[in-house]
Amino acid sequence: MVLAVPRKKSEYKPGEHPHSLENLSKREPIYGEKKKRRELTVTDEGWEGAKQVAKEMGCSSLSDLIEKLGRRMIELQEK
């Protein structure tokens, strides 16, 4: 009996790994348009806190939280 042993990442040729092949397929933008890279400045505490808020709000990332805020899909309330 021969058992198939998964190969190590280093044993795959470039572009051969199954996960690499999945990432090559085009994805439809979630909001109908391609996102652009932006830049902002924030303290470490503010960044970590914002990531926690995104998680608590059920967003997949801080980027997703900001997108939803900008599209008014999430409402802000002042404490």
Side-chain angles (χ1 to χ4, degrees):
M1 174 183 226
V2 177
L3 295 175
V5 178
R7 297 189 313 190
K8 295 179 185 176
K9 182 179 177 181
S10 61
E11 294 176 355
Y12 287 98
K13 295 177 186 173
E16 186 182 66
H17 194 280
H19 296 299
S20 297
L21 298 175
E22 289 172 14
N23 289 330
L24 291 175
S25 62
K26 282 200 164 202
R27 298 179 200 165
E28 189 65 32
I30 295 172
Y31 296 103
E33 60 183 298
K34 186 177 178 182
K35 289 185 176 183
K36 296 180 183 178
R37 184 167 297 278
R38 308 292 185 184
E39 184 177 327
L40 62 104
T41 56
V42 64
T43 64
D44 287 341
E45 182 179 353
W47 184 256
E48 293 305 318
K51 288 193 317 186
Q52 185 61 38
V53 169
K55 185 177 181 179
E56 291 170 5
M57 297 293 294
C59 297
S60 60
S61 63
L62 184 50
S63 174
D64 188 38
L65 174 65
I66 293 170
E67 182 75 35
K68 288 178 178 178
L69 285 170
R71 291 175 175 272
R72 302 191 188 281
M73 297 168 71
I74 294 176
E75 187 176 317
L76 290 177
Q77 292 184 344
E78 199 171 335
K79 275 190 165 184

